Amino acid sequence: MSESGSGARELTAGEQRNVATAYEQMAAAMAGWRDAEEGRKRLEAIQSEDLDWFTPSANPRRELHQGREEYIKLVTEFQFDYYIPGSKVEIFATTAQGNRVATEMISDIVLKDGTPYTNRYQQLFIFTPAGKVQVYKLYMDTAIFIRDDNRATAKIGDDFLYALSSGGNLGIRHLLTDEATWQFNNLGCRPVTMDKEAALKRIDKLQERLTGYGFSPVVGSAIVNGPYVTVRAKLAASDLRDRKAVASEHHFVIKTEKPQESSHAGRILGGKIVAVREYIRGGSLPEV
Amino acid sequence: MDTKEFDLCLTDSERRNVSAAFEMIDAIRSSWTEPQAGRPRLETLLAEDFVSFTPTSDSARQQRLDKQEFIDLIRNQRSQLKSDSSLQIAAHTAHGNRVATEVNSEMKYLDGSSVRNRYHQLFLFDSTGKIAQYRTYMDSAAIVESAATQGEALVRSFVVALGDASPELKKLTSEHFEFRPADGSAAIGVDSLLEKIAAVRKKAGKFGLYPIEGGLVVGEGMASVEAQAPTGFVHSFVVSFDNDQVTNAIEFSSGILEVHP
């Protein structure tokens, strides 16, 4: 159970019980991913009613204190709905003293959309004299959530360029929210802001007028932060009216609607676009 | 329960390990103020095959430091940190050769920035009581956010200095800085750029660049900037930076020099 080494004292009965309860909490959580009712029952049996559960952070937005009901709901609702069978967490070492048990743990989880989510934790359980979990501190590599959020947001940028280059506009229509706006800044001009329908009409007209209207992303150009993804892409087309080549580099600043809060549960891919701001260099697009 | 009472149950070697964990944190702190004193203390505490790492599943951030690398890292922090930076063990849990410590820190940097963090460290001891492993589980998002904040400050200063044609731009840009204008013409250096923006300012009367709401998207070493001029034009740039200097800027519409030729 523990790589406690030589010189280790024998754990008291209470300490052994606490270690067993820490293992049971994680087993009960996994049970909740398969069978919500069983998970709830087992967690209620070992967690104090006034459980304080949080990820320690100096940032109050990340150190959200939640209670037993929130923990049970996370396990039996969100994770039950979104994790595939075989997803697991595994405690690989423990350190117990008095009413405290520290556990090192690995998660290996796959969301139902196929996204892997793994993390490394050193949790801290603090127990009541009766042996119930009163405080559950989930120390973990929180930057994983930023990486996964960024990946999910970057995917929206990829989907956007792919749809914009598809020769139709249904893909873009699907990606934009109904209230989405599109601002276009042609070279040397003031910005023009369009609503969704006007933006789609512009794309229709550009597709009619330009042969090869499509964008090749500039490799490594994506910048992601919070709900924003920006990407550079090259357009190489020709104008059907005068057969002149149209070549330009575009910079798209895309605002997504995806909430970007860190979670304990991995990031679901997908999401819509609420605003696009398009800039251009090295050329200009015909006014349509 | 105070620490002494809490530790009454521990064996002698377990108590020695707890003391060593506290001593290590103290030695790290003293390395920031008295490097001559900190280094020998760390040398004594750490096993020859010592390894330090922050457990992560992100291969891009995996980093293992051996004894000398770790001591050098701590020593080098001295040149960046103010002496009133803090690192404090709040609570510990010990059994056998393992000591887990909850730690709070506030790193105050000489540039005025600061980062607070929460850690749950794990010390693994060898049979002689030396620290063999130091695993730092922490709120690693705080580190990523701090880097982004520093990048954002640099890029914001760059854009403002650009709009003002301020000589400060020279300090903010690297030796081989390049500006690639929106019209696709050849890249120019900082001196030529300053001259051209100064000419624009002279002609336009009032000119400046002010990032629009949501107009700074800062990633690792790269940022997207959208800034509005008093004329109503929005100017966009993709800026690359390295450490504390901007290395190049690619301009998109509306080009400053197109709008104010």
Side-chain angles (χ1 to χ4, degrees):
Chain A
M1 190 180 285
S2 169
E3 45 185 335
S4 46
S6 60
R9 72 191 187 283
E10 195 173 326
L11 294 180
T12 66
E15 287 171 334
Q16 288 180 37
R17 176 200 60 196
N18 293 344
V19 170
T21 302
Y23 275 90
E24 167 59 9
Q25 175 170 307
M26 303 329 297
M30 283 189 288
W33 304 346
R34 298 184 303 268
D35 181 335
E37 202 178 325
E38 185 195 336
R40 171 174 285 278
K41 205 171 151 188
R42 286 170 66 175
L43 288 167
E44 282 177 347
I46 57 167
Q47 292 181 332
S48 172
E49 274 182 48
D50 61 350
L51 174 80
D52 182 16
W53 159 54
F54 62 100
T55 292
S57 171
N59 181 340
R61 279 189 298 112
R62 255 195 316 281
E63 189 176 295
L64 287 177
H65 288 256
Q66 298 181 85
R68 184 170 82 173
E69 195 52 32
E70 283 89 357
Y71 184 75
I72 291 174
K73 274 189 177 163
L74 173 78
V75 166
T76 59
E77 292 180 10
F78 180 90
Q79 296 179 345
F80 178 83
D81 289 340
Y82 286 106
Y83 290 0
I84 67 163
S87 295
K88 63 181 181 183
V89 290
E90 194 168 359
I91 293 173
F92 64 88
T94 64
T95 313
Q97 182 183 357
N99 64 340
R100 300 165 61 89
V101 177
T103 67
E104 289 185 279
M105 186 176 83
I106 288 178
S107 62
D108 191 2
I109 288 162
V110 176
L111 306 178
K112 283 182 179 168
D113 68 3
T115 311
Y117 164 67
T118 61
N119 212 331
R120 305 287 182 267
Y121 314 79
Q122 182 162 231
Q123 309 172 111
L124 183 74
F125 297 81
I126 300 177
F127 292 86
T128 65
K132 297 252 186 175
V133 182
Q134 187 165 39
V135 179
Y136 173 46
K137 300 187 192 182
L138 190 59
Y139 288 89
M140 62 179 155
D141 182 22
T142 47
I144 286 293
F145 297 115
I146 295 178
R147 181 198 66 176
D148 290 355
D149 274 353
N150 286 352
R151 178 175 174 270
T153 307
K155 171 92 170 42
I156 298 172
D158 288 346
D159 291 347
F160 169 81
L161 284 183
Y162 192 73
L164 194 57
S165 308
S166 67
N169 74 19
L170 192 57
I172 287 290
R173 177 178 289 282
H174 177 72
L175 274 173
L176 299 176
T177 62
D178 288 343
E179 296 75 31
T181 57
W182 191 308
Q183 187 189 85
F184 177 63
N185 297 261
N186 218 345
L187 203 59
C189 300
R190 285 193 170 79
V192 176
T193 303
M194 294 160 277
D195 64 15
K196 179 177 178 175
E197 292 308 321
L200 291 171
K201 233 174 238 174
R202 174 176 163 262
I203 292 168
D204 277 344
K205 287 184 178 173
L206 285 169
Q207 284 172 345
E208 278 171 24
R209 174 128 176 214
L210 301 175
T211 183
Y213 179 76
F215 291 88
S216 309
V218 174
V219 176
S221 71
I223 304 170
V224 186
N225 197 330
Y228 287 93
V229 52
T230 80
V231 64
R232 284 156 49 202
K234 289 190 172 167
L235 171 73
S238 60
D239 193 323
L240 283 173
R241 294 192 182 179
D242 56 15
R243 306 269 173 208
K244 279 189 180 163
V246 175
S248 49
E249 185 175 333
H250 295 239
H251 177 218
F252 294 98
V253 178
I254 299 163
K255 185 178 182 187
T256 70
E257 65 171 0
K258 203 77 186 170
Q260 304 291 313
E261 294 300 325
S262 296
S263 89
H264 296 284
R267 169 74 187 263
I268 310 297
L269 287 177
K272 298 259 186 186
I273 292 170
V274 294
V276 177
R277 298 194 288 270
E278 180 182 0
Y279 301 90
I280 189 168
R281 73 183 304 273
S284 60
L285 282 183
E287 294 297 335
V288 291
Chain B
M1 192 185 289
D2 70 23
T3 301
K4 278 184 183 166
E5 194 184 337
F6 183 63
D7 286 346
L8 278 178
C9 63
L10 300 184
T11 64
D12 288 345
S13 65
E14 287 172 336
R15 257 193 287 272
R16 176 199 62 195
N17 294 344
V18 170
S19 296
F22 275 82
E23 164 66 4
M24 169 139 154
I25 297 301
D26 198 51
I28 290 173
R29 270 198 313 260
S30 71
S31 294
W32 299 338
T33 49
E34 307 165 69
Q36 302 309 322
R39 186 177 186 106
R41 287 169 71 184
L42 289 171
E43 291 274 8
T44 306
L45 284 165
L46 308 183
E48 283 312 306
D49 58 353
F50 169 86
V51 61
S52 162
F53 60 98
T54 294
T56 178
S57 58
D58 184 355
S59 55
R61 284 186 295 114
Q62 276 171 4
Q63 187 187 29
R64 282 172 176 260
L65 300 177
D66 65 20
K67 181 175 180 174
Q68 287 314 314
E69 288 168 335
F70 178 78
I71 291 173
D72 288 345
L73 173 83
I74 300 297
R75 187 194 59 196
N76 292 339
Q77 286 176 333
R78 183 172 178 260
S79 60
Q80 301 155 6
L81 290 174
K82 289 183 180 172
S83 57
D84 59 344
S85 294
S86 64
L87 188 67
Q88 203 76 40
I89 294 179
H92 67 272
T93 316
H95 182 224
N97 66 338
R98 301 168 61 87
V99 177
T101 56
E102 291 185 273
V103 172
N104 301 331
S105 73
E106 182 171 12
M107 303 301 188
K108 295 180 181 173
Y109 293 94
L110 294 174
D111 67 5
S113 63
S114 66
V115 186
R116 291 189 296 148
N117 213 328
R118 303 285 180 265
Y119 312 81
H120 199 187
Q121 307 167 328
L122 184 80
F123 296 81
L124 273 182
F125 291 84
D126 68 15
S127 55
T128 66
K130 299 259 188 187
I131 299 167
Q133 276 200 24
Y134 178 52
R135 302 176 193 160
T136 309
Y137 294 84
M138 65 171 152
D139 180 22
S140 45
I143 310 292
V144 176
E145 287 171 351
S146 165
T149 303
Q150 286 175 12
E152 186 174 323
L154 170 66
V155 172
R156 191 179 289 277
S157 301
F158 168 80
V159 172
V160 171
L162 177 64
D164 292 348
S166 161
E168 186 72 12
L169 199 69
K170 286 189 172 188
K171 289 184 195 163
L172 296 167
T173 50
S174 63
E175 192 186 347
H176 301 294
F177 167 81
E178 281 191 341
F179 182 85
R180 291 162 58 191
D183 63 2
S185 59
I188 55 176
V190 70
D191 290 323
S192 176
L193 177 62
L194 279 170
E195 273 173 31
K196 286 177 189 283
I197 301 291
V200 166
R201 287 174 62 82
K202 202 171 172 186
K203 199 171 174 183
K206 193 179 171 192
F207 187 79
L209 289 172
Y210 310 97
I212 64 171
E213 191 186 341
L216 276 182
V217 182
V218 182
E220 209 173 304
M222 212 158 51
S224 161
V225 184
E226 297 163 277
Q228 192 155 24
T231 49
F233 287 95
V234 176
H235 303 279
S236 170
F237 311 91
V238 173
V239 173
S240 299
F241 54 93
D242 186 5
N243 298 321
D244 53 358
Q245 286 188 311
V246 172
T247 55
N248 72 68
I250 305 171
E251 185 191 37
F252 287 79
S253 54
S254 290
I256 297 172
L257 307 178
E258 273 79 42
V259 175
H260 306 285

